[in-house]
Amino acid sequence: MKLAIVGATGLVGTELLKVLAERQFPLTELLPVASAKSVGQLVEFRGKQYPVVSMDDAIAARPEIAIFSAGGSVSKEHAPRFAAAGTTVIDNSSAWRMDPTKKLVVPELNAFTLTAEDKIIANPNCSTIQLVVALNELHKVYQVQRIVVSTYQSVTGTGKKAVDQLLEERAGQTASNPAYPHPIDLNVLPHIDVFEDNGYTKEEMKMVNETKKIMGDDSIRVTATCVRIPVMGGHSEALNVEFAREFELDDVRAILARTPGVELVDDPSQNRYPMPKDSHGKDAVLVGRLRRDETQPRTLNLWVVADNLRKGAATNAVQIAEYLVREMVPASH
Ligand code: 2RA
């Protein structure tokens, strides 16, 4: 099984290698792909050094699977080239997510929809993944009608430049190469990605549109406020969810406890609730602060935290690859 990682030297690419090794993904040959200037650079994987190869060489090697985390323009240009060569692409960018011909997959919810015809598979946005994992089983029982979500997103979601800005500001320096238009340390920015004509940011509209596509229900009403906070890893979200059917909190708790991918962390009497620092290195989506919204019927408040580089990106992509190998062993080339 040959596997290409396009964007192998970025934050998510590095996390992908870590997760692939941890989960003992059955690859026999790794093809790290990065920018032309990185070709030849060595990438360590399971104690072995692999040279970064060019995009063309990776395509020519005809890997069974290629996982992309290299931005939308690189994916738009090169994912179809891999697909034409017979490779199945799993893409972390937003390039294909809302394309009606492409599947947007969170394995716990909809991996079963995949077929051998799907040669470009979209990995959802990190903040969307943790939301739909948390609501998956509750939706089946009570039918989600409306979601109001406010996010508190870590700087690792932006990338290394943002991490450097936070660290420099935290050290009392002015950021040498800022990722944000304002200081991020001791501050919060209600601005993730770019603003659209409707006054929402692209990040907020990703949550609105991707959630409905993954949950397979365009009637679900979603409104989002996405905020960047000075945290080094782990996205948090406050969800207010209105259901079609009435619920009992004890039943909600029991359903969350059996929801695939969820870890219930909810005991305020012991100050136990999900926090970003507790999500680091974990693949579970941590859920807590369960309480009824007393201001309107059939509505629940909950707090959802996940490692945005892992379940929010790398692990979700690897789980899709594992599904492909398990269910549809790609033709060996
Ligand atoms: C962010 N979700 O957190 C976006 C992209 N990873 O910046």
Side-chain angles (χ1 to χ4, degrees), residues 97 125-127 153-159 180 192-193 203 206 228 235 308:
R97 289 177 185 157
N125 192 38
C126 42
S127 47
Q153 299 181 223
S154 129
V155 296
T156 56
T158 305
Y180 302 122
I192 296 182
D193 208 323
E203 186 80 357
K206 285 175 187 175
R228 188 74 65 192
H235 284 354
N308 53 291

Side-chain angles (χ1 to χ4, degrees), residues 136-296:
N136 179 24
E137 293 301 323
L138 292 175
H139 181 50
K140 291 173 186 172
V141 178
Y142 301 116
Q143 192 187 336
V144 171
Q145 289 195 304
R146 180 173 184 260
I147 304 167
V148 181
V149 51
S150 296
T151 73
Y152 307 78
Q153 299 181 223
S154 129
V155 296
T156 56
T158 305
K160 190 176 176 314
K161 203 170 146 184
V163 169
D164 291 346
Q165 176 177 346
L166 175 54
L167 292 174
E168 287 171 332
E169 290 174 357
R170 184 68 51 91
Q173 301 156 11
T174 302
S176 54
N177 180 23
Y180 302 122
H182 306 287
I184 182 63
D185 196 29
L186 304 176
N187 193 17
V188 296
L189 304 180
H191 174 189
I192 296 182
D193 208 323
V194 297
F195 283 100
E196 307 211 349
D197 295 342
N198 66 358
Y200 286 80
T201 60
K202 268 189 186 286
E203 186 80 357
E204 288 157 351
M205 293 316 296
K206 285 175 187 175
M207 296 198 77
V208 171
N209 297 319
E210 293 177 21
T211 297
K212 293 192 274 193
K213 181 169 179 179
I214 297 162
M215 294 177 75
D217 185 344
D218 268 347
S219 73
I220 297 175
R221 290 167 285 131
V222 184
T223 189
T225 302
C226 295
V227 179
R228 188 74 65 192
I229 61 171
V231 153
M232 202 70 80
H235 284 354
S236 304
E237 299 177 354
L239 304 187
N240 176 274
V241 186
E242 179 185 354
F243 297 103
R245 288 186 277 279
E246 192 46 89
F247 61 81
E248 291 301 328
L249 266 184
D250 286 347
D251 297 338
V252 165
R253 198 177 300 280
I255 292 167
L256 283 168
R258 64 172 170 79
T259 297
V262 164
E263 183 180 324
L264 196 54
V265 182
D266 190 39
D267 185 354
S269 69
Q270 300 301 317
N271 294 328
R272 270 180 52 77
Y273 32 71
M275 293 180 281
K277 71 174 186 62
D278 296 337
S279 71
H280 292 174
K282 280 193 164 189
D283 294 326
V285 172
L286 312 180
V287 179
R289 296 297 324 280
L290 302 179
R291 58 215 192 278
R292 181 180 295 282
D293 176 350
E294 304 294 353
T295 68
Q296 66 174 31

